[in-house]
Amino acid sequence: MHGRQRSADSGTTHLSSLAVRALALAGLAAFFVSFDSAVLVLALPAIAADFHTAVPDIDRLGSALALGTLAGLPIAMQADRVGRRRLLILSVAGFSLANLASAWSPSLGWLAASRVVAVCFETVAAGTATALVIEEVAPGQRGMAVAAITVAAGAGTGLTTLLYPLLAPNWRALYLIGGTGLAGAVVLAALLRESRAWTASVAEGPPRLPLRVLLEPPWGRRLAVVAASAALGALLYQPAGLLSALFGSRQLGLSPALISAVMVVSGLASVPAFLAGGRLSDRLGRRRLGAALGVLTALATAAAFAGGRPAYWAGNVVWSVLASASVPVLGAWYGELFPTRARATSEAVASVAGALGGAAGFQLVAALQPWLGLGHSLAVPAAAALVASGLLLLLPETRGQALSP
């Protein structure tokens, strides 16, 4: 194996200057991704009011966003062929431009189209940033490294949450602010270096079609399990995440300030959870911890929509904490499960599976809502999320293992 690959996978206990730089810049990309994606969640009641939109139309908007994730797959594949650096710069610039288009939306259709473009590039950016970080740190630090960029992503969500009550109901201003991601893309272009692991894998042979690599054993079976788990989990988490503020506003009568307060408290409680999840996964392993956190997260999410204001508050906070703890566990695990020459593509395939599951989840909620009400309709798919967590036990443990080229 080439020397650069060994240095990236060495068991040192400290981060090199190159790894610190990669972490910081990947965190910058994650910050803008999360700032962007949080806007629609928080501002959905105001957007619905502006465009006089009913719940079924909002469900269709949520389903339409899956198109963006699907479009992101062929772009993400290029990160395995031409490198992480170019794709990360391109994707941050892409969703920042889509933010500016969103700010000028004259109709819900325009907004939906611009958000599809944004989701496309957000999917690429998130997967590429995770792959980059996993490849730049030592095996015993991957969970904490993913936790670090997840904290940066949480800061983006937190900033959106703090700004929206000051700007509400002017949701367009948030998308204008999101356009400053263009400056972030300039910083990435100036400072980001290519992944050493990816460079080493290219040096070992000519690039192959990433999807073809992923169909070979043992990657094909692993990818099928990851995709199935992502799809089943998204039946619950995508509708719940997007419609949470709408449920709090319309069903519970909460003001934008109170809804933001729920998210602020949840976000603050989640910061130590990111780090705890990363540390525990580096010490105890990914497999059992990931499955256990998945089960608990599904139950907490369902509880958030099964009662009144106290259940909404408590459920959201516990849901956020548990989900946050699981992010570095699953992020490091999924990155380690697949080879470097197809890692970004595997991230994108999981995202596509999640998008398809989410689209089905939105349609399920739309079908159940007239009979069960919005809250119980959002809680029902928790059964699928429990199955998704169980599927994770079919995957091997990877903690501490060298990355496959």
Side-chain angles (χ1 to χ4, degrees):
M1 187 176 291
H2 289 264
R4 280 184 288 185
Q5 177 75 41
R6 286 198 301 270
S7 68
D9 279 342
S10 66
T12 57
T13 57
H14 64 278
L15 291 173
S16 68
S17 59
L18 290 176
V20 171
R21 174 184 290 194
L23 270 175
L25 295 173
L28 178 66
F31 173 89
F32 281 112
V33 168
S34 293
F35 180 94
D36 184 21
S37 58
V39 173
L40 189 60
V41 175
L42 272 173
L44 194 58
I47 292 171
D50 268 9
F51 295 126
H52 307 289
T53 305
V55 171
D57 292 324
I58 295 172
D59 287 325
R60 284 190 284 272
L61 170 62
S63 297
L65 297 182
L67 296 175
T69 306
L70 290 170
L73 177 58
I75 301 175
M77 289 173 60
Q78 298 309 305
D80 288 324
R81 297 176 67 85
V82 303
R84 318 306 189 202
R85 180 180 178 275
R86 297 179 191 176
L87 266 293
L88 195 55
I89 296 167
L90 171 67
S91 56
V92 172
F95 68 69
S96 299
L97 290 171
N99 283 339
L100 298 178
S102 300
W104 297 102
S105 298
S107 65
L108 185 63
W110 178 291
L111 179 64
S114 61
R115 298 323 301 157
V116 165
V117 174
V119 167
C120 169
F121 288 110
E122 288 167 9
T123 300
V124 177
T128 305
T130 301
L132 174 68
V133 164
I134 289 171
E135 292 165 359
E136 287 297 293
V137 302
Q141 299 170 326
R142 290 179 194 139
M144 285 299 293
V146 176
I149 63 170
T150 307
V151 169
T157 301
L159 182 58
T160 308
T161 304
L162 292 173
L163 288 177
Y164 184 61
L166 304 176
L167 300 172
N170 186 9
W171 53 271
R172 298 174 189 272
L174 286 176
Y175 282 125
L176 285 174
I177 295 171
T180 60
L182 289 171
V186 172
V187 172
L188 292 173
L191 300 179
L192 185 62
R193 297 185 180 182
E194 187 52 78
S195 158
R196 291 170 291 167
W198 180 84
T199 302
S201 72
V202 171
E204 293 189 358
R208 299 172 57 200
L209 185 66
L211 280 177
R212 183 171 296 174
V213 173
L214 290 173
L215 292 177
E216 298 173 353
W219 321 123
R221 179 180 178 277
R222 295 180 182 184
L223 188 65
V225 173
V226 167
S229 180
L232 290 171
L235 281 169
L236 171 65
Y237 298 122
Q238 287 200 16
L242 183 61
L243 301 177
S244 176
L246 188 71
F247 172 77
S249 173
R250 291 192 176 180
Q251 303 297 121
L252 302 180
L254 298 177
S255 66
L258 286 176
I259 292 172
S260 288
V262 173
M263 295 192 69
V264 167
V265 172
S266 299
L268 291 175
S270 296
V271 172
F274 291 134
L275 302 175
R279 180 62 63 111
L280 287 172
S281 71
D282 282 338
R283 291 188 174 185
L284 304 178
R286 329 291 193 201
R287 181 172 171 271
R288 293 182 180 178
L289 181 60
L293 286 172
V295 169
L296 295 175
T297 304
L299 296 176
T301 305
F305 301 101
R309 292 187 178 188
Y312 181 75
W313 268 89
N316 268 280
V317 172
V318 177
W319 165 21
S320 181
V321 168
L322 293 170
S324 298
S326 70
V327 168
V329 180
L330 299 181
W333 192 17
Y334 288 0
E336 293 166 343
L337 283 168
F338 300 102
T340 298
R341 60 191 183 277
R343 185 166 293 117
T345 301
S346 70
E347 297 273 359
V349 169
S351 296
V352 167
L356 294 174
F362 281 111
Q363 297 307 309
L364 178 62
V365 170
L368 294 177
Q369 194 264 339
W371 306 95
L372 302 179
L374 182 57
H376 290 150
S377 299
L378 288 169
V380 165
L386 292 173
V387 175
S389 301
L391 287 176
L392 296 178
L393 295 174
L394 299 175
L395 296 170
E397 179 59 66
T398 59
R399 178 180 67 92
Q401 297 180 9
L403 298 176
S404 298

